[in-house]
Amino acid sequence: MSAREIGVAPRLTSGRRVMILITVSLCVMLYALTTTIINVVLPQLQGALSATPDQVSWVVTLNLVATAVVTPMTGWLVARFGQRGVMVWSVVGFSIASLLCATATTLPPLLLYRIGQGAFGAPLVPLAQAIIVASYPPAQRAMAQGIFGMCIVIGPAVAPALGGYLAEEYGWRWIFFLILPFCLMALLGVLA
């Protein structure tokens, strides 16, 4: 049996553990950021896409529904494709869905792309926590989970202010373009 199979943290250097923590925190922070940043641009989306308030609210709702549907599938996905495979494809899919959200010209494609963001982002949270538990010895897990939790809260905390500024200065599409460089950093971290 390997160390991971019996629940013991593998022998990693402290620098490697820190890089793992930063990478998984960045991945989940991006996903959490997209769930709240969209709220400040709903009025702009409504006008730009000629939608009613009820129609534009689906931009938030369908993302959350996709997350709720895919999150329980994370265990099966990991058993089938492995942690690394699921993490890589989640970040890649999330990045592509974010880019497509920025390029949407009507409401139906935007809704579809937001479903993609939710579906690809959903495995990131439970998978990140599992990776932290597998990477850190029991004595350091609480500290690692605390840092992870702080990083996760940062995204939704700054998202409304940042999203409002970007939307006001450059337009609603920039809330999605903002995410792309961080998605690239997250992907590079996952691949490393």
Side-chain angles (χ1 to χ4, degrees):
M1 286 186 120
S2 71
R4 289 202 174 170
E5 290 173 325
I6 58 174
V8 177
R11 294 179 193 235
L12 298 171
T13 65
S14 60
R16 183 113 169 118
R17 283 190 183 115
V18 168
M19 289 308 298
I20 289 170
L21 182 59
I22 290 169
T23 299
V24 297
S25 297
L26 178 61
C27 291
V28 177
M29 183 185 71
L30 287 171
Y31 171 70
L33 183 131
T34 62
T35 60
T36 58
I37 200 169
I38 194 78
N39 293 326
V40 296
V41 298
L42 289 177
Q44 278 191 1
L45 284 174
Q46 184 181 343
L49 303 177
S50 301
T52 67
D54 290 338
Q55 291 171 329
V56 83
S57 70
W58 284 102
V59 172
V60 176
T61 305
L62 290 177
N63 181 273
L64 295 174
V65 169
T67 299
V69 169
V70 176
T71 298
M73 296 171 51
T74 303
W76 178 83
L77 290 169
V78 168
R80 177 120 175 135
F81 303 108
Q83 285 183 339
R84 181 179 166 88
V86 173
M87 197 72 159
V88 167
W89 285 109
S90 291
V91 172
V92 168
F94 181 81
S95 302
I96 292 169
S98 297
L99 176 62
L100 292 173
C101 283
T103 61
T105 56
T106 61
L107 187 61
L110 180 60
L111 295 176
L112 182 65
Y113 305 147
R114 285 289 288 170
I115 291 170
Q117 267 190 326
F120 282 108
L124 293 175
V125 177
L127 188 52
Q129 291 175 331
I131 289 171
I132 290 171
V133 168
S135 299
Y136 281 85
Q140 296 177 345
R141 285 183 190 150
M143 178 267 313
Q145 289 285 2
I147 293 169
F148 174 76
M150 281 188 338
C151 292
I152 303 317
V153 172
I154 290 171
V158 301
L162 185 59
Y165 172 76
L166 287 173
E168 192 65 33
E169 292 296 320
Y170 304 106
W172 65 268
R173 295 177 192 283
W174 281 92
I175 66 168
F176 297 109
F177 286 134
L178 160 78
I179 295 166
L180 297 176
F182 296 106
C183 287
L184 179 61
M185 287 178 8
L187 181 60
L188 293 175
V190 169
L191 292 175

